[in-house]
Amino acid sequence: MISCCSPGLSSEEEKKLQKMAHALGNPVRFEILKFLFTQPGCITGDIVDILPVSQSTTSQHLKVLKDAGWIEGEVAGTAVSYCLNQRDISWFQESMKDLLKD
Amino acid sequence: MISCCSPGLSSEEEKKLQKMAHALGNPVRFEILKFLFTQPGCITGDIVDILPVSQSTTSQHLKVLKDAGWIEGEVAGTAVSYCLNQRDISWFQESMKDLLKD
DNA sequence: ACATATAATCGTAAAAATGCGATAAAAAAA
DNA sequence: TTTTTTTATCGCATTTTTACGATTATATGT
């Protein structure tokens, strides 16, 4: 890994990092992530219940988080059960560590 | 530090984390940070030169990065010399590590 | 088949972010 | 003092994001 004199990320990785950062930088989406940390496997409706926004808005935020890599959704009947995407989250944390270090 | 069953961050810390994430999630600002990594101490004009946006727009992005904690500016004559804010960056990286771990 | 439950998508309105040129401010140089 | 250099701020236009209700889609239950 390159870390002595330049950020050690490929162009694709940078894009992904930006996308995840952008998704994280919204208070509603941040709240969703916090909730999923304590309530893994909960369904969309559960998340709607604890947020100050509508079902459709929540659904859009979940889509942004999923596309960015923060969460994963599993269809369970008519519902969708969401969990944190541990792989991408760990990658994000590692990449942040590597991004701007001396 | 709390990490067994909940994100170990205070409300203030969460706000700061969100602000830093939001600032990072913009391609122009991301580019500025990458540039400052390789060119610490450079002045606003140097940054303007490598960006596809105007001086006034660059100045606004620098303000966002400074307010969020990513960079610091030091007045040097009529110019302002910018560096990465290592303290806040390290804090961000640590907080990201702690935020959503099992 | 019909009704119910759950979530996603569509269309659109409101709010926020981004961008620019012009101008102001402040220090340095002439 | 006047001019130059450099950056910040103002006013405004454009684009993007956020939000909502209404509708659609899909699976489940009756």
Side-chain angles (χ1 to χ4, degrees):
Chain A
M1 178 203 313
I2 302 166
S3 66
C4 63
C5 55
S6 75
L9 294 173
S10 72
S11 168
E12 282 306 310
E13 288 172 322
E14 278 182 14
K15 246 183 279 183
K16 169 109 185 164
L17 197 60
Q18 273 180 52
K19 200 170 178 178
M20 290 189 78
H22 175 260
L24 183 64
N26 171 283
V28 173
R29 291 192 290 263
F30 194 89
E31 200 64 27
I32 292 174
L33 290 180
K34 278 201 300 174
F35 184 69
L36 280 179
F37 175 79
T38 56
Q39 308 288 329
C42 71
I43 66 175
T44 306
D46 299 330
I47 300 171
V48 172
D49 289 343
I50 57 112
L51 292 178
V53 296
S54 72
Q55 179 267 319
S56 63
T57 298
T58 302
S59 185
Q60 288 179 116
H61 281 304
L62 287 168
K63 185 171 159 57
V64 172
L65 287 171
K66 188 148 67 76
D67 289 347
W70 285 103
I71 65 174
E72 287 172 318
E74 191 182 355
V75 175
T78 75
V80 178
S81 165
Y82 284 101
C83 283
L84 297 178
N85 179 342
Q86 296 294 350
R87 180 183 304 178
D88 279 19
I89 290 176
S90 294
W91 175 85
F92 181 79
Q93 292 163 342
E94 283 303 308
S95 299
M96 278 312 308
K97 233 174 39 184
D98 295 341
L99 180 62
L100 300 167
K101 72 180 175 194
D102 291 326
Chain B
M1 177 203 316
I2 302 164
S3 67
C4 62
C5 55
S6 74
L9 294 174
S10 73
S11 168
E12 284 305 310
E13 288 172 322
E14 278 181 13
K15 244 182 279 182
K16 168 109 185 164
L17 198 59
Q18 274 180 51
K19 200 170 179 179
M20 289 190 77
H22 175 260
L24 184 63
N26 171 283
V28 172
R29 291 193 288 263
F30 194 89
E31 200 63 27
I32 292 173
L33 290 179
K34 278 201 300 171
F35 184 69
L36 280 179
F37 175 80
T38 56
Q39 308 288 329
C42 71
I43 67 174
T44 307
D46 299 330
I47 299 171
V48 173
D49 289 343
I50 57 111
L51 292 177
V53 295
S54 72
Q55 180 267 320
S56 63
T57 298
T58 302
S59 184
Q60 287 179 115
H61 281 304
L62 287 169
K63 184 172 160 59
V64 172
L65 287 171
K66 187 149 66 78
D67 289 347
W70 286 102
I71 65 175
E72 288 172 319
E74 191 182 356
V75 175
T78 74
V80 179
S81 164
Y82 284 102
C83 282
L84 297 177
N85 180 341
Q86 297 293 350
R87 180 185 303 178
D88 279 19
I89 291 176
S90 294
W91 175 85
F92 181 79
Q93 292 164 344
E94 284 304 308
S95 298
M96 277 312 308
K97 235 175 34 186
D98 296 340
L99 180 62
L100 299 167
K101 73 178 175 196
D102 291 325

